[in-house]
Amino acid sequence: FGRLKNEMFYNRDWTGVSIQEFIDILNEYLIWYNDKRIKISLGNMSPREYRQSLGLAALPLQKNVRPLRSLTIRSYGKS
């Protein structure tokens, strides 16, 4: 998670950002990181395209399907 923290988390002020807004921002970063970021070392493909070319990942989502936007947050621990 080091790259995620350096590229997405540490470089902004999170004051006043709701948990849902944070989840949305994190989701957008992860979509960019896995689906849109081009890596020269992967033959000028995104990580997902590279895994798909090796048969290691599912095919892309349909255009009208949106990624998961909400997350239920549960607290675990001593009562």
Side-chain angles (χ1 to χ4, degrees), residues 1 4 8 22-37 47-48 51:
F1 293 100
L4 179 141
M8 197 263 327
F22 176 79
I23 290 168
D24 291 341
I25 292 166
L26 177 60
N27 189 50
E28 291 299 320
Y29 174 82
L30 293 173
I31 289 169
W32 170 81
Y33 190 86
N34 288 311
D35 297 341
K36 299 175 182 176
R37 176 180 59 107
R48 184 174 311 275
R51 289 190 300 269

Side-chain angles (χ1 to χ4, degrees), residues 11-28:
N11 65 351
R12 59 177 79 194
D13 180 10
W14 295 100
T15 306
V17 175
S18 72
I19 291 179
Q20 187 58 52
E21 289 171 322
F22 176 79
I23 290 168
D24 291 341
I25 292 166
L26 177 60
N27 189 50
E28 291 299 320

Side-chain angles (χ1 to χ4, degrees), residues 12-78:
R12 59 177 79 194
D13 180 10
W14 295 100
T15 306
V17 175
S18 72
I19 291 179
Q20 187 58 52
E21 289 171 322
F22 176 79
I23 290 168
D24 291 341
I25 292 166
L26 177 60
N27 189 50
E28 291 299 320
Y29 174 82
L30 293 173
I31 289 169
W32 170 81
Y33 190 86
N34 288 311
D35 297 341
K36 299 175 182 176
R37 176 180 59 107
I38 302 301
K39 294 277 295 173
I40 293 172
S41 64
L42 299 179
N44 296 316
M45 292 186 271
S46 72
R48 184 174 311 275
E49 289 170 328
Y50 181 74
R51 289 190 300 269
Q52 287 170 343
S53 75
L54 298 176
L56 300 174
L59 295 175
L61 293 174
Q62 298 173 2
K63 287 185 179 183
N64 294 332
V65 176
R66 296 195 57 138
L68 181 63
R69 288 290 186 184
S70 64
L71 176 68
T72 301
I73 299 175
R74 296 183 180 144
S75 178
Y76 295 99
K78 296 179 181 179

